[in-house]
């Protein structure tokens, strides 16, 4: 304090000039210190900038990715072929170069990598809007970012980007930079570079494009997800007003290419920008605006990569999804990252388990051949219409294989089914087609082979722009102008049959055996998938065949009940010993629901309701607690998303007539679309994990090309329920393995549940032990064809898969929060000697504090006359009287209120006394007995006299 006062005195003695000098010196010191701090921070960031080779950017385009098992053994090298063809700058038209420079960086030729004017302008724009709406990056900055950096919006990334841009400008000319940029830029739909984009959208080389088409491609650069000329949409999300211009296969699912109006709005902005900058003259500007770019679109086929088996296909598909999510990209772009980014994928697939599973599915027809063939084909139930087609109500599902297609799958139309107008318009009977969005789709084909197996063929679409074809109620009409421009579309043979050129169809000539099946095996200790098969075609070498384990969504039926009904019920305070009545009930003025076992069992605990899969009890519980609690559970498992387009749950806003917002879908699992086997298995895996749901994926971790782990799924789990509730629910699914054909995994305790819906279209079984989970599904690819087989077939398949799994996990100790009580299954209360005598008791577990404290009061002892079945009287003979322990429902049971139907456990407690053994009967019986006794005595006397006479 003394020194501070002295300094103050010294400073007060200084004159104004001296004080100003000291103030300026302090400012200088502070400035130097700040600049030093800024420079050191800047240097620290620059030092961490990735190693670069700036004189040959083409080396950065292709880097091979690798798949390893969890022990580091190389499983597969992923070829780094890209959807890209590099072209030199001299082959890129000047209007393409001008379009990109005009919209992305119009001072490109004057700056040195950074554009101070553009940066200042973007800062002002962002301040005005109050958000980050404009970036101000030059073409050079965008190029180095795409090669070496990420899209993170951080100051660190911007500093690295600026540093690399300045260095790049020192090493390469403007022409070299622009060439690299135009050959690398992401232009949507998996197309990288302007040549790939030209082929993707126009099926032309880049040097064949005009100014309007170049402007369209330049517009995509701002957002490859937002501005491509068309978007890839699955059939389930098509809208009536969508204009479909093509289709392609992504991960085994047919996707439709829907025209995107935003792209053309952006195109007009770019053309206007080019005109304002005098990059094009007024005549070229007007000509480009009037050019019909939509009609010039001709989607090309991108090269997809071969997926050798279901397992490697699955690994690549999963890795693509994780990369897309990590980099905030589309699925196509995530896949591109995988094939070109030099990643190391560590996968959990166990080669031995995978090979065993594939061997079983290679011989899967042995299960189908065991099925009956009396209702269609082996194991399937369908009917044929008068023409021999497989039909459902008024809908044709499959045409006979050879009725209208020959050996080579040429579509042959007989003279009765077509005509050609004087204008050249072609009309074909509409019975061969159906409309999906505005795309004309062929109805698929079938045949039944010599073994009684159903084989189906995917025929796909008629590849005609929707503006030239219109499907009416009875016929398809194709514009004569299209026929004129495509004279190879059809030919007429000598029998006047019209034959469509196969190049205008999307035919898969390989047959699918029906029913199909899928299965997966997961390790419950790690939460990773160890083996997976998505169908019977395990030997296919085609690209991206449909994986029914991950990409097919089907109605789960009973399989859903433990989670949508009993989990929220237990969370609401019910116990496994809570009792409900399985009796006929009324819903919306109808008797609903019915049980699959075609009867009503009466009073039962929740444990028994789960074991019997009672529809009545499930619906009753959900009526009581409300479906909102079930919806909450589905949200926890990510089965309902905030964005309806990201899930398969159908809410009322998506479809007011057919949706899942009802008891039938949520309580009984009869959903409109449903779950994949992977999603259903993940729900059951959460029980094995004590309430924590794993991702249930094959991807353990992913390293980028620098060796940094960017995705790590080890220990990645989401808590979806309390561990105490999980313990109860798991215990309720315990299997009695002593039963014949009981599901069993190894020597450990097995838990599981069978799924079947009211359509009989799908059978599921998901079972698990402490170590393994096995999920399997069976059904026809068309859910409108039902199964004709015993439910036990799915358990047989399950056991075939599980029999080689070794699990000798020791029985775990009962947790301290669990207590066991002997209860009566009709009342849910503590058992008594009477309920025990009635064989109505069993041991139930409870969370401590929720166990019952009252004793059963339903079971009582009655003396019954076995002859009259009424209460015994004093006159009933001893041999006709016995003690019966019976239970009586509180309030009784009135069959008139339940459609005249009695439950199986119904017992009528007699209220009247025996009407056989009356007082008069007793007197008559006594007289008869006296007379009989007298006769017996006289008979004995006579016998004695006879014996005496004989002795004499």
């Amino acid at each position: 304090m003394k020194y501070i006062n002295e300094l103050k005195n010294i400073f007060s003695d200084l004159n104004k000039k001296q004080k100003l000098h000291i103030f300026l010196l302090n400012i200088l010191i502070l400035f130097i210190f700040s600049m030093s701090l800024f420079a050191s921070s800047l240097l620290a960031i620059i030092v961490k900038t990735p190693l670069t080779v700036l004189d040959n950017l083409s080396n950065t385009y292709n880097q091979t990715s690798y798949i390893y098992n969890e022990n580091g053994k190389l499983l597969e090298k992923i070829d780094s072929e890209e959807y890209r063809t590099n072209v030199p700058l001299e082959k890129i038209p000047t209007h393409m170069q001008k379009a990109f420079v005009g919209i992305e960086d119009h001072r490109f030729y004057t700056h040195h990598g950074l554009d101070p004017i553009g940066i200042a302008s973007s800062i002002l724009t962002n301040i005005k809007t109050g958000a980050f709406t404009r970036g101000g990056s030059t073409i050079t900055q965008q190029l180095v970012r795409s090669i070496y950096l990420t899209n993170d919006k951080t100051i660190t990334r911007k500093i690295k980007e600026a540093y690399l841009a300045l260095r790049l400008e020192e090493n390469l000319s403007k022409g070299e930079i622009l060439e690299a940029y135009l050959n690398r830029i992401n232009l949507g739909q998996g197309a990288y570079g302007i040549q790939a984009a030209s082929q993707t959208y126009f099926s032309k080389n880049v040097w064949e494009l005009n100014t309007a088409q170049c402007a369209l491609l330049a517009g995509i650069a701002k957002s490859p997800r937002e501005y491509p000329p068309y978007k890839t949409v699955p059939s389930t999300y098509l809208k009536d007003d969508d204009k479909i211009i093509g289709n392609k296969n992504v991960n085994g699912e047919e996707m439709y290419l829907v025209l995107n109006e935003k792209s053309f709005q952006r195109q007009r902005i770019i053309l206007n920008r080019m005109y304002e900058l005098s990059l094009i003259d007024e005549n070229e500007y007007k000509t480009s605006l009037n050019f019909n770019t939509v009609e010039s679109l001709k989607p090309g086929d991108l090269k997809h990569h071969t997926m050798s088996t279901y397992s490697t296909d699955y690994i690549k598909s999963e890795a693509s999804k994780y990369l897309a999510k990590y980099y905030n990209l589309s699925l196509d772009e995530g896949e591109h990252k995988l094939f070109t980014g030099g990643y190391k994928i560590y996968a959990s697939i166990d080669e031995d388990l995978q090979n065993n599973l594939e061997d079983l599915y290679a011989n899967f027809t042995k299960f189908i051949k065991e099925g009956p063939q009396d209702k269609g084909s082996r194991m399937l139930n369908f009917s044929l219409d008068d023409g021999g087609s497989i039909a459902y109500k008024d809908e044709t599902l499959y045409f006979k294989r050879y009725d209208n297609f020959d050996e080579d799958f040429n579509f042959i139309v007989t003279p009765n089914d077509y005509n050609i107008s004087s204008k050249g318009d072609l009309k074909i009977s509409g019975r061969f087609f159906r409309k999906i969005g505005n795309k004309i789709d062929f109805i698929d084909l079938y045949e039944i082979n010599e073994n009684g197996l159903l084989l189906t063929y995917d025929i796909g679409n008629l590849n005609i722009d929707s503006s030239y074809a219109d499907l009416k109620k009875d016929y398809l009409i194709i514009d004569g102008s299209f026929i004129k421009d495509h004279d190879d579309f059809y030919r007429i043979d000598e029998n006047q049959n019209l034959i469509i050129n196969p190049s205008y169809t999307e035919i898969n000539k390989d047959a699918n055996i029906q029913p199909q099946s899928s299965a997966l095996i997961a390790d419950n200790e790690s939460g990773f998938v160890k083996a997976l098969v998505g169908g019977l075609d395990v030997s296919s070498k085609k690209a991206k065949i449909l994986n029914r384990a991950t990409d097919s969504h089907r109605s789960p039926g009973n399989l859903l009940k433990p989670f949508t009904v009993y989990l929220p019920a237990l969370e609401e305070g019910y116990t496994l010993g809570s009792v409900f009545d399985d009796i006929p009930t009324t819903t919306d003025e109808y008797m609903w629901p019915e049980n699959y076992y075609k009867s009503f069992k009466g009073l039962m605990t929740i444990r028994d309701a789960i074991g019997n899969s009672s529809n009545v009890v499930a619906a009753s519980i959900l009526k009581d607690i409300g479906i909102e609690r079930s919806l909450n559970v589905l949200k926890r498992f990510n089965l309902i998303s905030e964005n309806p387009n990201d899930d398969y749950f159908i809410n009322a806003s998506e479809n007011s007539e057919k949706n899942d917002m009802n008891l039938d879908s949520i309580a009984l699992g009869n959903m409109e679309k449903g779950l994949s086997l992977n999603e259903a298995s993940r729900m059951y895996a959460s029980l094995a994990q004590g309430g924590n749901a794993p991702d249930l994926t094959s991807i353990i971790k992913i390293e980028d090309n620098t060796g940094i782990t960017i995705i790590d799924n080890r220990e990645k789990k989401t808590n979806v329920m309390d561990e105490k509730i999980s313990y109860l629910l798991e215990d309720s699914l315990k299997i009695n393995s002593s039963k014949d054909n009981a599901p069993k995994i190894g020597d450990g305790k097995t838990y599981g549940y069978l799924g079947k819906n009211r359509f009989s279209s799908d059978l599921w079984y998901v079972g698990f032990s402490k170590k393994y989970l096995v999920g399997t599904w069976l059904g026809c690819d068309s859910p409108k064809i039902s199964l004709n087989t015993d439910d036990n077939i799915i358990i047989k398949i399950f056991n075939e898969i599980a029999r080689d799994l070794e699990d000798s996990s020791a029985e775990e100790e009962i947790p301290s929060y669990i207590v066991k009580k002997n209860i009566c299954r009709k009342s849910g209360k503590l058992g008594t000697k009477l309920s025990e005598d009635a064989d109505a008791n069993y041991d139930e577990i409870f969370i401590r504090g929720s166990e019952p404290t009252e004793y059963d009061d339903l079971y009582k002892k009655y003396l019954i006359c076995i002859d009259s079945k009424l209460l015994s009287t004093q006159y009933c003979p001893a041999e006709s009287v016995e003690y019966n322990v019976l239970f009586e429902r509180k309030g009784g049971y009135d069959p008139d209120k339940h459609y005249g139907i009695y439950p199986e456990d119904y017992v009528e407690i007699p209220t009247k006394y025996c009407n056989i053994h009356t007082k008069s009967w007793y007197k008559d019986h006594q007289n008869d007995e006296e007379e009989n006794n007298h006769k017996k005595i006289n008979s004995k006397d006579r016998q004695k006299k006879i014996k005496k006479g004989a002795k004499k």
Side-chain angles (χ1 to χ4, degrees):
M1 193 71 179
K2 176 182 176 183
Y3 296 110
I4 294 174
N5 290 331
E6 288 179 1
L7 287 172
K8 285 182 178 179
N9 293 332
I10 293 171
F11 188 75
S12 61
D13 293 337
L14 297 176
N15 59 37
K16 290 184 178 180
K17 188 175 181 180
Q18 290 172 323
K19 289 179 181 179
L20 178 62
H21 286 163
I22 291 175
F23 176 75
L24 292 174
L25 181 62
N26 285 332
I27 292 295
L28 179 62
I29 293 171
L30 184 62
F31 176 74
I32 293 172
F33 176 77
S34 299
M35 290 303 295
S36 299
L37 186 63
F38 175 73
S40 62
S41 299
L42 195 64
L43 183 62
I45 293 172
I46 291 173
V47 167
K48 294 180 181 180
T49 301
L51 296 175
T52 58
V53 181
L54 299 175
D55 57 350
N56 186 5
L57 295 183
S58 62
N59 289 336
T60 66
Y61 291 168
N62 302 317
Q63 295 190 56
T64 301
S65 294
Y66 298 86
I67 298 175
Y68 299 89
N69 70 9
E70 55 189 327
N71 298 318
K73 176 186 174 183
L74 180 64
L75 296 180
E76 184 175 342
K77 173 183 173 183
I78 304 176
D79 293 333
S80 59
E81 302 171 24
E82 296 183 42
Y83 309 148
R84 172 193 284 118
T85 302
N86 294 335
V87 289
L89 190 65
E90 57 265 24
K91 296 192 75 173
I92 300 173
T94 55
H95 40 263
M96 178 71 81
Q97 299 176 41
K98 290 177 180 179
F100 275 92
V101 170
I103 195 65
E104 292 295 318
D105 184 6
H106 70 276
R107 283 182 286 272
F108 171 70
Y109 292 104
T110 59
H111 64 64
H112 298 287
L114 302 179
D115 180 10
I117 297 174
I119 293 171
S121 178
S122 68
I123 291 173
L124 288 174
T125 301
N126 294 335
I127 291 173
K128 287 179 182 178
T129 60
F132 189 86
T133 58
R134 183 175 171 186
S137 295
T138 65
I139 282 177
T140 314
Q141 287 175 274
Q142 292 179 50
L143 180 60
V144 296
R145 183 197 313 152
S146 70
I147 298 174
Y148 302 112
L149 304 171
T150 69
N151 290 322
D152 294 342
K153 294 179 180 179
T154 62
I155 188 65
T156 300
R157 195 268 293 165
K158 293 294 289 185
I159 291 171
K160 291 178 181 179
E161 181 184 290
Y163 167 69
L164 288 174
L166 292 171
R167 283 193 58 205
L168 188 64
E169 292 270 351
E170 292 176 356
N171 284 267
L172 297 179
S173 68
K174 289 291 185 180
E176 289 172 319
I177 292 172
L178 185 60
E179 178 183 305
Y181 172 79
L182 292 176
N183 277 306
R184 185 176 184 89
I185 190 167
N186 178 3
L187 293 173
Q189 298 298 325
Y192 285 74
I194 39 84
Q195 173 65 1
S198 299
Q199 292 291 344
T200 297
Y201 299 116
F202 301 107
S203 296
K204 287 184 178 182
N205 294 310
V206 62
W207 51 87
E208 298 175 306
L209 301 186
N210 61 30
T211 303
Q213 293 165 327
C214 290
L216 186 77
L217 297 188
I220 304 171
K222 182 177 182 180
S223 174
R225 285 185 297 171
E226 186 101 8
Y227 294 109
Y230 54 78
K231 293 193 174 183
T232 307
V233 178
S235 60
T236 49
Y237 294 123
L238 286 176
K239 300 174 183 176
D240 291 338
D241 57 349
D242 281 342
K243 184 173 183 181
I244 300 174
I245 58 173
N247 65 302
K248 68 176 180 178
N249 188 287
V250 176
N251 287 329
E253 183 177 1
E254 188 172 37
M255 309 288 278
Y256 292 84
L257 310 180
V258 176
L259 206 65
N260 178 21
E261 183 58 36
K262 284 186 178 181
S263 180
F264 301 94
Q265 294 170 359
R266 176 89 176 145
Q267 176 199 36
R268 290 188 286 273
I269 291 172
I270 291 170
L271 288 171
N272 184 61
R273 179 70 168 162
M274 294 174 73
Y275 177 58
E276 287 178 348
L277 294 171
S278 299
L279 298 175
I280 55 176
D281 59 27
E282 184 176 1
N283 181 57
E284 189 174 4
Y285 172 60
K286 290 181 178 179
T287 301
S288 299
L289 282 178
N290 293 327
F291 179 75
N292 193 333
T293 314
V294 174
E295 283 194 1
S296 72
L297 288 174
K298 187 179 179 183
D301 291 328
L302 298 179
K303 176 177 174 55
H304 289 291
H305 306 277
T306 299
M307 304 293 188
S308 54
T309 68
Y310 278 115
S311 60
T312 54
D313 189 347
Y314 173 56
I315 292 168
K316 293 170 188 175
S317 174
E318 288 282 283
S320 298
K321 291 175 184 176
Y322 278 109
L323 290 172
K325 184 176 181 180
Y326 180 80
Y327 290 109
N328 193 27
L329 303 170
S330 68
L331 183 58
D332 279 352
E333 294 164 326
E335 182 183 68
H336 174 78
K337 280 278 189 185
L338 172 67
F339 281 95
T340 63
Y343 297 95
K344 290 183 178 179
I345 316 297
Y346 290 86
S348 59
I349 295 296
D350 182 300
E351 291 178 275
D352 292 334
L353 290 180
Q354 180 66 30
N355 289 335
N356 290 342
L357 190 59
E358 289 188 5
D359 287 345
L360 186 150
Y361 270 78
N363 298 292
F364 193 86
T365 54
K366 70 179 182 181
F367 296 110
I368 305 176
K369 288 177 181 177
E370 293 177 5
Q373 194 186 348
D374 57 323
K375 295 184 178 180
S377 66
R378 295 284 183 192
M379 208 179 278
L380 293 174
N381 177 19
F382 56 81
S383 58
L384 305 179
D385 62 17
D386 294 338
S389 300
I390 297 177
Y392 176 78
K393 297 181 178 178
D394 295 330
E395 179 185 358
T396 300
L397 302 180
Y398 296 98
F399 280 118
K400 289 179 70 174
R401 162 73 174 84
Y402 292 103
D403 275 5
N404 287 88
F405 284 83
D406 63 16
E407 286 285 350
D408 297 322
F409 287 88
N410 291 303
F411 180 46
I412 302 172
V413 189
T414 62
N416 292 331
D417 283 323
Y418 80 90
N419 67 71
I420 302 172
S421 73
S422 57
K423 286 185 174 183
D425 294 340
L426 173 62
K427 293 182 181 179
I428 303 176
S429 173
R431 64 190 181 90
F432 302 111
F433 310 98
R434 59 185 174 181
K435 199 166 187 178
I436 301 180
N438 65 338
K439 195 72 176 175
I440 308 301
D441 189 63
F442 277 101
I443 292 174
D444 295 330
L445 308 179
Y446 86 93
E447 65 176 312
I448 298 175
N449 70 10
E450 66 277 7
N451 293 315
L453 274 63
L454 176 66
L455 307 180
T456 61
Y457 299 85
D458 299 327
I459 304 302
N461 300 319
L462 186 63
N463 288 334
I464 299 178
D465 189 293
S466 60
S467 62
Y468 294 106
D470 194 4
L471 183 61
K472 303 295 185 182
K473 182 178 180 182
D474 297 321
Y475 60 90
L476 168 70
I477 182 168
I478 300 173
D479 196 321
S481 63
F482 174 85
I483 304 295
K484 184 177 180 181
D485 293 339
H486 302 81
D487 55 6
D488 65 338
F489 179 69
Y490 72 82
R491 63 184 175 85
I492 306 292
D493 69 8
E494 64 277 7
N495 297 317
Q496 297 303 302
N497 293 320
L498 183 141
I499 302 174
I500 303 291
N501 187 334
S503 66
Y504 289 89
T505 60
E506 296 284 342
I507 296 176
N508 180 2
K509 297 182 180 181
D510 296 325
N512 293 310
I513 298 173
Q514 305 292 345
Q516 281 284 327
S517 179
S518 61
L520 64 81
I521 302 171
D523 185 330
N524 283 328
E525 295 174 355
S526 66
F528 290 112
V529 174
K530 308 301 288 185
L532 176 142
V533 164
L536 308 190
D537 197 5
V538 291
S539 61
S540 174
K541 301 300 179 184
K542 292 192 309 176
K544 299 181 179 178
I545 54 178
L546 176 62
N547 189 331
R548 295 167 182 84
T550 58
D551 299 326
S552 288
H553 287 74
R554 302 293 291 245
S555 178
N558 300 336
L559 201 67
L560 200 62
K561 289 178 184 175
F563 298 93
T564 54
V565 176
Y566 299 110
L567 170 56
L570 293 172
E571 290 175 338
E572 278 296 288
Y574 289 108
T575 71
L576 292 178
S578 298
V579 171
F580 290 83
D581 212 352
D582 181 19
I583 55 176
T585 57
T586 298
T587 303
D588 296 331
E589 300 182 1
Y590 294 95
M591 188 180 85
W592 186 90
E594 295 184 43
N595 294 312
Y596 294 119
Y597 41 81
K598 304 302 181 186
S599 65
F600 301 90
K601 295 185 180 296
L603 293 170
M604 60 173 66
T605 61
I606 281 183
R607 180 183 291 274
D608 287 340
I610 294 173
N612 287 298
S613 197
S614 167
N615 286 341
V616 172
V617 173
S620 297
I621 289 176
L622 216 54
K623 284 180 184 178
D624 184 30
I625 66 175
I627 66 171
E628 282 299 323
R629 301 194 182 281
S630 297
L631 298 179
N632 178 264
V633 171
L634 294 176
K635 289 174 183 176
R636 288 185 234 163
F637 284 101
N638 297 324
L639 297 174
I640 297 180
S641 172
E642 290 184 7
N643 182 357
N645 290 335
D646 293 338
D647 63 46
Y648 287 83
F649 184 88
I650 308 301
N651 59 44
S653 63
E654 294 175 274
N655 190 322
S656 60
E657 295 182 1
K658 291 185 177 182
N659 58 67
D660 293 322
M661 299 292 289
N662 55 72
L663 292 174
D664 190 40
S665 288
I666 298 176
L668 309 189
N670 297 314
M671 304 178 80
E672 292 296 323
K673 292 183 179 176
L675 314 177
S676 69
L677 177 63
N678 181 272
E679 290 170 335
S681 298
R682 180 174 180 259
M683 299 178 84
Y684 283 84
S686 69
L687 300 180
Q689 294 276 357
N692 298 306
D695 266 13
L696 208 62
T697 178
S698 63
I699 305 301
I700 298 173
K701 66 175 182 175
I702 298 178
E703 295 177 357
D704 67 13
N705 56 19
T706 67
I708 296 174
T709 299
I710 60 172
I711 293 162
D712 192 341
N713 289 326
R714 293 169 295 186
E715 304 302 323
K716 184 180 177 182
K717 297 167 186 174
T718 304
N719 183 257
V720 290
M721 70 187 87
D722 181 83
E723 66 170 335
K724 298 176 183 178
I725 302 295
S726 173
Y727 187 89
L728 294 182
L729 198 55
E730 177 189 53
D731 193 76
S732 72
L733 303 178
K734 193 159 44 181
I735 304 298
N736 182 355
S737 56
S738 64
K739 290 183 178 180
D740 292 338
N741 198 35
K744 186 168 176 59
I745 300 175
D747 297 323
K749 183 71 69 177
T750 302
Y751 310 79
Y753 214 53
L754 185 145
K756 180 180 181 180
N757 56 41
R758 65 178 168 86
F759 321 108
S760 297
S761 59
D762 301 79
L763 279 176
W764 314 64
Y765 197 88
V766 180
F768 60 94
S769 62
K770 287 300 174 186
K771 182 169 177 56
Y772 287 108
L773 176 142
V774 175
T776 188
W777 165 85
L778 178 74
C780 184
D781 277 338
S782 172
K784 293 176 181 177
I785 293 179
S786 60
L787 292 166
N788 177 25
T789 181
D790 190 282
D791 294 354
N792 284 328
I793 186 65
I794 196 68
I795 297 175
K796 187 173 183 179
I797 296 168
F798 175 91
N799 282 337
E800 284 273 347
I801 296 170
R803 68 180 180 181
D804 294 326
L805 299 178
E806 296 180 3
D807 186 356
S808 55
S809 303
E811 191 78 23
E812 295 183 348
E813 293 184 6
I814 297 176
S816 59
Y817 55 76
I818 293 294
V819 295
K820 185 181 291 186
K821 294 292 180 180
N822 187 262
I823 68 168
C824 169
R825 64 183 356 116
K826 292 298 176 185
S827 66
K829 298 179 179 180
L830 296 172
T832 64
K833 183 65 172 63
L834 290 179
S835 57
E836 182 181 357
D837 289 344
D839 196 26
N841 289 358
Y842 76 99
D843 289 337
E844 185 56 271
I845 61 170
F846 299 86
I847 297 173
R848 189 177 297 278
S850 68
E851 65 270 23
T853 56
E854 298 178 354
Y855 285 88
D856 173 68
D857 56 357
L858 296 185
Y859 279 92
K860 297 174 183 177
K861 188 179 284 189
Y862 299 89
L863 276 174
I864 305 294
C865 173
I866 61 175
D867 297 323
S868 65
K869 304 294 189 295
L870 300 175
L871 297 172
S872 66
T873 69
Q874 59 182 323
Y875 303 112
C876 293
E879 63 270 19
S880 295
V881 177
E882 64 181 17
Y883 273 115
N884 277 4
V885 177
L886 305 175
F887 86 94
E888 183 175 9
R889 296 163 181 271
K890 290 185 176 179
Y893 182 84
D894 185 354
D896 292 338
K897 294 181 180 179
H898 303 285
Y899 303 92
I901 299 172
Y902 289 91
E904 290 180 10
D905 68 350
Y906 178 75
V907 177
E908 187 170 357
I909 306 295
T911 57
K912 297 181 180 180
Y913 287 90
C914 179
N915 55 10
I916 296 176
H917 307 117
T918 60
K919 185 176 182 179
S920 60
W921 175 88
Y922 182 76
K923 288 182 178 180
D924 292 342
H925 183 69
Q926 288 295 100
N927 291 333
D928 289 343
E929 282 190 352
E930 288 177 3
E931 185 176 343
N932 287 335
N933 289 336
H934 182 70
K935 288 180 179 179
K936 288 178 182 178
I937 292 171
N938 290 339
S939 177
K940 288 179 181 179
D941 288 343
R942 284 196 300 272
Q943 290 295 328
K944 288 179 181 178
K945 288 179 180 179
I946 292 171
K947 288 180 180 178
K948 286 181 180 179
K951 288 180 180 179
K952 289 180 180 178

